[in-house]
Amino acid sequence: MSDPKDNKPVDDVTGVETTGHTWDGIEELNNPLPRWWLWCFYLTIIWGIGYVIAYPAWPMISKATPGLLGYSTRGEVARDIDTFREASAANDAALATSDLATLSQNEDLYRYAVSSGAAVFRNNCSQCHGSGAAGAKGYPNLLDDDWLWGGNHEQIAYTVRHGIRNDADDDAHYSEMPAFGEILEEGDIPVLVEYVRGLAGEEHDATLAASGEELYIDNCSACHGENGMGDRDQGAPNLTDAIWLYGGDRDSLTETITYSRFGVMPPWSPRLSEAQIQAVATYVHQLGGGEVDPAN
Amino acid sequence: MADTPPSLYAAREPIFPRRVTGFFRTLKWWILGLTLSVYYLLPWVRWDRGPNLPNQAVLADLEHRRFFFFWIEIWPHEFYFVAGLLIMAGLGLFLFTSALGRVWCGYTCPQTVWTDLFLLVERWVEGDRNAQIRLLKAKWDLRKVRLRVTKWLIWLAISIATGGAWVFYFTDAPTLAVNLVNLSAPAVAYFSIAILTATTFIFGGFMREQVCIYMCPWPRIQAAMMDEGTLTVGYRKWRGEPRGKHRKGARAAAAAGTATAYVETNLPEADQGTGDCIDCMACVNVCPMGIDIRDGQQMECITCALCIDACDEIMDKIGKPRGLIDYLALEDVPPPVDSPERATWAPRPIWKHILKPRTILYTAIWSAIGAGLVFALFVRSDIELTVSPVRNPTYVMQSDGSIRNIYDVRLRNKSGDDRLFHLSLTSEETLRIGLEGTNTLTVNVPANETLLQRVYVTARRNDPAASADRTDLRLWVEDLTTKTRAGSATIFNGKGE
């Protein structure tokens, strides 16, 4: 409240001192800000100057001024990663030499394997097998109970380590189905398609299928077995189950038999550490389809 | 003078509130004692919860994400209790503000309570208002230095205790106290204490009313919650004006008027010309905000009611009825003196100011939420499950053509012992349940922990559920020790053919 004795201009209505500024007869009231507030404002300016000196601030042509403290968020992430690696070094060392079949008895290490395996999977495997491991056409679904090359811990780890049908690893799983379009008569293939659909219990033409048995025994049973149960040593799919890697409809089967398939998986041992391979195998095994490990 | 604009910044005018006694001051001392005792002592109250659980009655265990309040234990997924309490606190604030104005500011706000405590220290060390003013003007001699340093040291001790008490709410208090002393407590504890010590010291000792006037949003918000019927500290202008110096002879003459409720016409002849306010400035001198309540309702007023005590004391001395400054509502203005209604006019009774649709509505909502929370508190059980169906993919076909759904089930064992949980499901269809990692349907959930269990539900190839789009089902968990059960509804995704 202003005192009239000060001879300051005062607004009649509010009794508040004015700044003396008038626009179109409207006067500007002066409700002064506390002085300490002004000092706080100056402090923020000083802080700002200090910040610009200490931290990366001014954008230059290729990068910003580094600042005296040499701080960067990228550096912080790198430090965090190092800290994390250091913290998990003991677990990784233990995991690399563990027997995966009995790992679940070591509750902490097992939990570590599953969660770090999930991270490895998302970074390296999800591009083909999907982030939920449900696979896609040509890329096996890892959630189900059907395995081409075996589904116990050791078999999964081997597949991850060496891959499938690649040239980079001599120990990779290898098999090759011939393109029967060059081997069989043209009319034979529809017959085989009906026969294979019959094996799987799908809807099929029974007469055609019946005439396909001999063709099948001659050409297919060496790998897929006389009953169509497949052969894991050769990665030959079981033809009697409900799961089709490339589709079980007539067009897909015709294509598969005519031109064959050649699914490739790279070997991961050059890119992943042994601990990471063990971890991702553990993770995949517990997704739902993992098979019982053989007793030693 | 218009050529030289006035300063746009104001220096703080020092305020020296005079000591005052009376009903509201006593009430405020009690509230101060109660609130501060609760704040400082609560972390030290023990509460036996048995093994595996902390024995501190009130504990916000950030590390394990649990909140303990005597017999109540809140888990993170029960945060709605905290949300509910916050809503109740908000509504309570609305209720009290609409009925009694800024009663929160005046009586219970930490800023008010600690400032009061700091003022008490100040008076104890330096003396009352006049002594403080003299000391401010005095040269910096040995006595001034001694008094100032003493005051600041006591303030600092209170501030450290205040910051210190805060951290005890977040971990076991006796352990932390020992660790704090032998310098092995976590850095964040020292950091929190340092910050709260600094804010208490600065806000309570030096910023005081500046916090309320310039930093706190509440004075701006309050206007929306008050109306002309709200009781708030005010000056009966119609009774006090025009102000005039007190004349000695008037006291005995006015004595007759004190016995009954105040009616201006009861006043003796000699006082008819002037009002009851004798301009003694008692109300201004006791005001911790440095304002004059006689200017009417102001944003600065925190309604601490000390001016009521101060004025009542003066009114007693000069033989006038109390209540020149009082809790009153804006609408309680009597008709003009010469109006015939004036003789029979009486202010609305207090209960009518408090009991109005607005406060009744606030009370009703407040009680409804409170009742809901209490109900929720009693129906919640020791075991719980949360079911998250895995939707990537929605279903998995197995080699035999059956359809399997995967669920991430969080099993919570809130008891203090390890428990065996048995899982089962109910559905109109024939679905089978299985658990990852075990051939049984039983898992061991450690005490006071949450376990994430992958659960499989499978529909055989020809089951309706396998081809249906979705099927309702309910997952159950049973504590094999206590036989208590908890269920959660979810769905089973089929091929949707």
Side-chain angles (χ1 to χ4, degrees):
Chain A
M1 302 298 121
S2 71
D3 189 338
K5 275 181 289 185
D6 298 343
N7 199 21
K8 287 175 185 164
V10 168
D11 175 53
D12 291 337
V13 181
T14 56
V16 175
E17 187 188 339
T18 69
T19 58
H21 301 158
T22 310
W23 293 273
D24 295 341
I26 300 169
E27 284 186 294
E28 184 185 40
L29 302 187
N30 180 24
N31 285 303
L33 209 60
R35 198 170 289 285
W36 58 262
W37 200 288
L38 187 66
W39 286 112
C40 288
F41 175 59
Y42 291 149
L43 271 178
T44 60
I45 294 175
I46 294 168
W47 174 271
I49 294 170
Y51 191 95
V52 164
I53 296 169
Y55 285 90
W58 293 103
M60 308 304 266
I61 291 167
S62 55
K63 56 190 220 173
T65 51
L68 286 182
L69 295 182
Y71 172 87
S72 78
T73 43
R74 181 178 283 267
E76 193 168 34
V77 171
R79 261 197 309 284
D80 284 353
I81 292 174
D82 286 346
T83 315
F84 175 77
R85 289 224 169 104
E86 224 166 274
S88 47
N91 275 335
D92 281 340
L95 188 55
T97 55
S98 287
D99 176 13
L100 294 184
T102 55
L103 187 64
S104 62
Q105 289 157 20
N106 183 346
E107 212 170 292
D108 287 340
L109 193 59
Y110 180 76
R111 207 175 300 167
Y112 171 79
V114 170
S115 41
S116 67
V120 172
F121 185 89
R122 275 182 233 115
N123 281 338
N124 300 283
C125 316
S126 63
Q127 288 81 348
C128 295
H129 291 283
S131 58
K137 184 177 177 181
Y139 303 101
N141 183 337
L142 303 176
L143 301 167
D144 61 32
D145 58 350
D146 186 34
W147 298 90
L148 294 169
W149 300 92
N152 67 39
H153 280 108
E154 203 41 59
Q155 289 165 333
I156 296 173
Y158 184 95
T159 304
V160 173
R161 208 172 278 129
H162 302 292
I164 298 165
R165 298 189 192 94
N166 60 68
D167 298 329
D169 191 320
D170 291 341
D171 293 325
H173 288 307
Y174 197 91
S175 67
E176 192 173 349
M177 173 169 158
F180 284 97
E182 297 164 9
I183 297 169
L184 299 176
E185 302 293 319
E186 204 179 321
D188 292 344
I189 290 175
V191 176
L192 268 181
V193 166
E194 293 307 317
Y195 182 79
V196 169
R197 282 180 64 84
L199 280 178
E202 304 273 352
E203 170 271 320
H204 61 284
D205 184 328
T207 9
L208 270 184
S211 63
E213 184 169 2
E214 203 187 320
L215 270 174
Y216 176 85
I217 299 291
D218 289 350
N219 296 287
C220 315
S221 64
C223 296
H224 290 286
E226 280 188 25
N227 302 321
M229 299 292 281
D231 180 4
R232 283 187 175 179
D233 290 338
Q234 308 181 63
N238 182 340
L239 302 177
T240 63
D241 65 21
I243 292 167
W244 301 96
L245 186 52
Y246 293 90
D249 58 287
R250 291 189 170 82
D251 288 347
S252 301
L253 285 175
T254 307
E255 194 181 332
T256 303
I257 297 170
T258 310
Y259 301 108
S260 163
R261 307 282 183 178
F262 196 76
V264 174
M265 171 170 162
W268 289 95
S269 52
R271 291 183 59 175
L272 299 179
S273 72
E274 187 55 26
Q276 284 177 311
I277 290 171
Q278 297 267 75
V280 79
T282 309
Y283 171 74
V284 168
H285 186 271
Q286 58 84 58
L287 283 175
E291 292 180 341
V292 180
D293 297 294
N296 280 344
Chain B
M1 293 300 281
D3 305 329
T4 52
S7 172
L8 299 174
Y9 304 100
R12 179 187 179 232
E13 300 284 338
I15 296 169
F16 305 96
R18 194 172 62 79
R19 198 177 75 89
V20 64
T21 53
F23 172 77
F24 290 107
R25 181 64 270 181
T26 311
L27 177 65
K28 275 164 67 76
W29 284 137
W30 278 105
I31 293 174
L32 180 142
L34 183 74
T35 50
L36 289 185
S37 314
V38 167
Y39 175 72
Y40 289 120
L41 301 179
L42 200 53
W44 299 92
V45 178
R46 301 280 94 187
W47 192 267
D48 185 17
R49 292 193 183 85
N52 301 326
L53 287 172
N55 293 326
Q56 185 160 321
V58 178
L59 178 68
D61 189 347
L62 296 182
E63 191 189 345
H64 303 103
R65 293 176 183 78
R66 300 276 188 282
F67 178 70
F68 298 95
F69 185 83
F70 294 93
W71 66 97
I72 301 170
E73 180 184 348
I74 304 280
W75 286 45
H77 69 286
E78 294 168 324
F79 203 73
Y80 61 87
F81 280 111
V82 180
L85 283 176
L86 285 175
I87 293 171
M88 284 176 73
L91 281 171
L93 211 54
F94 295 177
L95 171 65
F96 275 92
T97 305
S98 105
L100 294 167
R102 290 171 64 185
V103 66
W104 161 261
C105 301
Y107 293 82
T108 45
C109 174
Q111 175 65 19
T112 298
V113 170
W114 264 285
T115 301
D116 249 7
L117 185 64
F118 276 40
L119 282 168
L120 187 69
V121 171
E122 196 164 58
R123 256 180 233 127
W124 183 66
V125 175
E126 298 181 347
D128 204 2
R129 174 179 162 86
N130 294 341
Q132 288 177 21
I133 296 175
R134 276 198 304 278
L135 189 67
L136 180 74
K137 291 179 181 158
K139 284 218 176 71
W140 278 94
D141 57 6
L142 205 62
R143 178 176 167 274
K144 184 168 177 174
V145 171
R146 179 174 57 81
L147 289 179
R148 280 283 196 264
V149 169
T150 312
K151 179 177 80 173
W152 290 337
L153 283 180
I154 299 176
W155 282 357
L156 193 64
I158 295 173
S159 304
I160 292 172
T162 305
W166 178 254
V167 296
F168 291 142
Y169 282 90
F170 297 92
T171 183
D172 185 58
T175 318
L176 180 63
V178 172
N179 289 347
L180 281 172
V181 172
N182 62 28
L183 300 180
S184 59
V188 65
Y190 293 105
F191 197 64
S192 307
I193 294 175
I195 287 184
L196 284 168
T197 301
T199 52
T200 311
F201 189 70
I202 294 169
F203 287 5
F206 304 95
M207 297 285 285
R208 293 187 180 172
E209 81 291 343
Q210 302 276 306
V211 174
C212 310
I213 299 173
Y214 296 111
M215 292 165 69
C216 179
W218 187 233
R220 278 85 182 165
I221 299 169
Q222 58 144 348
M225 294 164 201
M226 288 165 63
D227 51 41
E228 57 277 12
T230 300
L231 284 171
T232 179
V233 175
Y235 167 64
R236 293 203 159 95
K237 200 172 182 177
W238 48 270
R239 187 185 137 185
E241 302 295 320
R243 301 168 201 173
K245 270 222 164 16
H246 175 56
R247 289 185 310 277
K248 276 185 180 170
R251 180 173 183 170
T258 57
T260 55
Y262 181 81
V263 179
E264 196 170 308
T265 44
N266 285 355
L267 278 183
E269 206 60 30
D271 276 356
Q272 287 291 336
T274 55
D276 283 356
C277 176
I278 59 169
D279 218 3
C280 64
M281 304 297 274
C283 56
V284 178
N285 290 343
V286 299
C287 181
M289 305 299 291
I291 57 167
D292 187 340
I293 192 67
R294 296 172 300 176
D295 291 339
Q297 254 188 19
Q298 296 149 72
M299 192 200 73
E300 289 87 348
C301 179
I302 58 169
T303 70
C304 68
L306 293 183
C307 48
I308 299 179
D309 280 347
C311 188
D312 282 350
E313 205 177 325
I314 300 294
M315 289 296 113
D316 287 352
K317 275 184 191 156
I318 64 169
K320 295 272 174 67
R322 289 178 160 212
L324 178 59
I325 298 173
D326 202 355
Y327 268 101
L328 51 89
L330 283 181
E331 64 187 14
D332 284 340
V333 179
V337 184
D338 48 7
S339 145
E341 292 111 56
R342 177 61 172 250
T344 53
W345 177 82
R348 264 147 64 92
I350 283 182
W351 70 265
K352 276 195 174 168
H353 284 299
I354 293 176
L355 222 64
K356 48 189 176 184
R358 191 167 170 169
T359 52
I360 293 170
L361 182 68
Y362 284 147
T363 313
I365 304 175
W366 188 89
S367 316
I369 296 174
L373 288 184
V374 171
F375 178 73
L377 201 61
F378 279 103
V379 297
R380 64 186 193 147
S381 86
D382 257 7
I383 63 170
E384 269 182 348
L385 79 167
T386 315
V387 179
S388 319
V390 171
R391 300 200 187 280
N392 176 20
T394 50
Y395 68 86
V396 181
M397 187 190 284
Q398 299 293 90
S399 53
D400 62 0
S402 60
I403 298 297
R404 172 191 268 190
N405 276 207
I406 307 169
Y407 302 85
D408 281 335
V409 178
R410 278 182 168 67
L411 300 166
R412 277 183 286 272
N413 174 10
K414 296 201 235 170
S415 72
D417 309 298
D418 292 4
R419 290 284 165 83
L420 286 175
F421 280 15
H422 178 83
L423 281 103
S424 58
L425 66 83
T426 51
S427 164
E428 288 179 14
E429 310 297 343
T430 48
L431 300 172
R432 281 170 300 150
I433 183 170
L435 305 186
E436 168 58 33
T438 169
N439 291 325
T440 67
L441 290 176
T442 305
V443 281
N444 177 44
V445 185
N448 204 32
E449 267 195 38
T450 300
L451 185 97
L452 178 62
Q453 174 66 45
R454 215 170 151 87
V455 173
Y456 306 115
V457 174
T458 312
R460 274 178 291 253
R461 188 175 200 157
N462 299 323
D463 272 348
S467 47
D469 191 18
R470 41 169 48 192
T471 306
D472 290 326
L473 73 116
R474 184 171 274 274
L475 282 174
W476 292 97
V477 57
E478 180 179 358
D479 182 337
L480 290 181
T481 316
T482 62
K483 303 290 176 199
T484 46
R485 265 154 66 93
S488 175
T490 183
I491 54 148
F492 181 89
N493 288 301
K495 287 186 282 186
E497 281 163 350

